[in-house]
Amino acid sequence: MSTRPLSPNDGGGIAPLRRRWRRRSAAATLLLAACGESVDHGASTKDAVTYKDGFTVVEAADATPARGGQLTFAGLGEPRSLDPAVTIAAGTTGGVEMLNIYDSLTRYDVATASFVPQLAESVETADGGVTWTVELREGLRFTDGSPLDAAAVKRSQERYVATPGPEAGLWAANVEKVAAAGGTVTYTLRQPWMSFPSALSTGPGMIVADSSGSGEEFKPVGAGPFLLDRWAPQEQLVLKANPDYWAGAPALESLRFVYMPHQQASLDSLESGEVDMALVTDPEKVDPLIEAGAPAYVSMVGVGSMVLVNASEGRAGADPRVRQAMAMAVAPEAVSSRAYGGKALASTTMFPDYSRWHTATAGPKSDPDRARELVKEAKADGFDGTLVYRSVNDPGARNSALAAKASLEAVGFKVELDFARDIGQLIGKVAVEKDYDLAKWGLNYRDADPFSKMYATLHSAGGQGFGMATSPELDGLLLELQGATADAQGVAVMDKIQQEINELVPFLNFGPFAEVITWNDDVHGITGSGSTMVLFDKAWLRG
């Protein structure tokens, strides 16, 4: 592939890609339709596109990998750090980069819809989810040569909680004791947690070597298939192959990550051959990829298109009347129409009917008249009506913000829009400074394990709420969900959670999204994991 400078533009790169991938379309459609629950995006306004979690194309098992070459990945936003105790471990926020540096103790296997051992040899419980035993693979070493043993795992996870990492609240509230002996790590939990292996696939499961240091001096040292070669901020991040990787040296010589100003630029660069892979979430761009039979890894996320509401003291959202008015003012159909041409699935329900967590209780309903009354009441008590809405500036997010602004101002709010230059800057304003009233975001609740992310974002001790409203009732329901082992039992609890969310309004939900990592025909051997992350340990380039 070419390594000439990228020249992002706003052209129509999807048509050539459609022609290139059309031969795959029939097989991909059959595969996607046959793989379990599916979601029909925007069926009322366009022809149905059906897809779900997983790969769209199954590769031949006898393909012979070619060695060498650099694979270039176009991400959505540059991570502000490669420290999993700082950066959220998800594909949209730097998780792909970190997963390939550190690997993870477990990995989500979409084929079996389960979390399977990765750096771990086994992960087991013998007492209903209170005690978990992790046996590490033999001979694991960090790229600095030091052993990745049980003691190293314990130190890394203690560091994660102390930093604190994005999921530190979830971890600290649930893990009572960690014992390390040789290659065995034993976790004693405060209450049963049957989905605990999922927590070992994200930040807490990305084990950091002692030599990494911390703070501004942090240098990423892990045991993954790649290690950091060079990082030129706002230009590129390059990883080189780890020849001593536990599963064998990667076929690729290096990985190069670049960060486009918007998703159309990523697709244009993919079509021109300037990049090999791209992460796309905009429904107007996702649907044509699926229709064209593009090779891709698809991850469905509930509450993927949404807005955080800051309920911190001194912010407008601290008044529950204001939060209720916001929810009643903005109809998700208006956001889908203006931002995505009606192609996004519009729903205020956390888990619409594609999900196994779908409940009888629907999300908040639009009621502009009642919203106006609530705004007037709040203003009579001193509220000036002003809301600061923060967002990134890609076309979909910008138009989503404009749609929300119009609906909110129609009921008496005054909305000031502030567009960050990229996701990293938005994360700084929202997650670090908590300087916002409304913020375009994604809570990203996934069917594989909704509890972990729901706890992290909605529980008062979760750590990823960033100012959203919480309640003792919601805290209790989340702990009840944690202990639910049967689907029917879990759905019943989820129904109660939806009712509490409707009353509390910690966020404005516009609907689920499909996050899609897509690539050209020369890319092979991608390994999937959770939270829209992929490993390149077995990846290779043809020609």
Side-chain angles (χ1 to χ4, degrees), residues 101-119:
I101 291 173
Y102 303 104
D103 210 335
S104 53
L105 292 173
T106 65
R107 174 181 64 82
Y108 181 65
D109 178 32
V110 71
T112 61
S114 63
F115 290 88
V116 298
Q118 184 66 14
L119 287 171

Side-chain angles (χ1 to χ4, degrees), residues 364-401:
K365 293 179 173 59
S366 175
D367 188 346
D369 290 338
R370 178 56 180 155
R372 290 187 189 93
E373 293 175 3
L374 290 172
V375 172
K376 288 180 180 178
E377 290 178 15
K379 285 183 174 179
D381 290 336
F383 172 49
D384 68 2
T386 302
L387 303 174
V388 177
Y389 184 121
R390 300 197 185 279
S391 174
V392 289
N393 199 26
D394 69 70
R398 182 173 61 250
N399 287 328
S400 176

